[in-house]
Amino acid sequence: TWYAPIGTPVHAIVDGTVISIPTLYSGDYSIMVGIPGNSQWRFETEHVQNVKVKVGDQVKAGDVIAEVSDKITKSYPGIGVVEIGILKGGQIPQHFCPFAYLDEAVKDDLIAKLNDHML
């Protein structure tokens, strides 16, 4: 879960194809991206608004795909939330923590950079 100013650009976390963009209980969206040759895995970017992609679009990691939603703005004026996740399976997929799958070559550096941005 990431907190950021509402409207902050949200980037794709992997290269792949947008396979669904469901509306969530909170009235914002989730963008599901599948990667070629790995049909059971989905990479989710959740609680976004002003979606910039559509189902079937090809995205590259780093492409802007939406903006941070206003899901929690009632509690924190001007601040929204976005969540990322890895899912595997069918109707009720298993959820996995993305940080458990970081490449060892970049893991320590990325964790240090993330810690620098924690409130």
Side-chain angles (χ1 to χ4, degrees):
T1 301
W2 305 94
Y3 298 91
I6 295 166
T8 299
V10 174
H11 301 266
I13 59 175
V14 294
D15 296 352
T17 303
V18 177
I19 56 173
S20 67
I21 306 174
T23 301
L24 302 174
Y25 66 91
S26 48
D28 50 13
Y29 301 93
S30 172
I31 299 173
M32 296 283 193
V33 174
I35 57 175
N38 212 336
S39 63
Q40 290 188 42
W41 292 94
R42 302 289 182 259
F43 297 82
E44 178 181 36
T45 306
E46 187 177 39
H47 298 299
V48 297
Q49 61 187 17
N50 299 325
V51 175
K52 313 289 186 207
V53 294
K54 62 186 181 313
V55 172
D57 283 355
Q58 299 295 309
V59 297
K60 295 276 188 194
D63 288 352
V64 174
I65 57 172
E67 295 176 357
V68 172
S69 82
D70 59 359
K71 178 180 179 253
I72 63 161
T73 195
K74 291 178 185 168
S75 301
Y76 304 96
I79 300 295
V81 64
V82 64
E83 297 178 21
I84 60 173
I86 301 173
L87 294 80
K88 181 181 182 186
Q91 288 294 88
I92 304 175
Q94 290 180 286
H95 288 71
F96 295 86
C97 176
F99 294 98
Y101 296 91
L102 292 174
D103 185 310
E104 290 298 324
V106 299
K107 186 174 186 175
D108 290 342
D109 184 53
L110 183 57
I111 296 295
K113 287 177 180 175
L114 292 171
N115 284 332
D116 287 344
H117 293 287
M118 295 184 75
L119 300 175

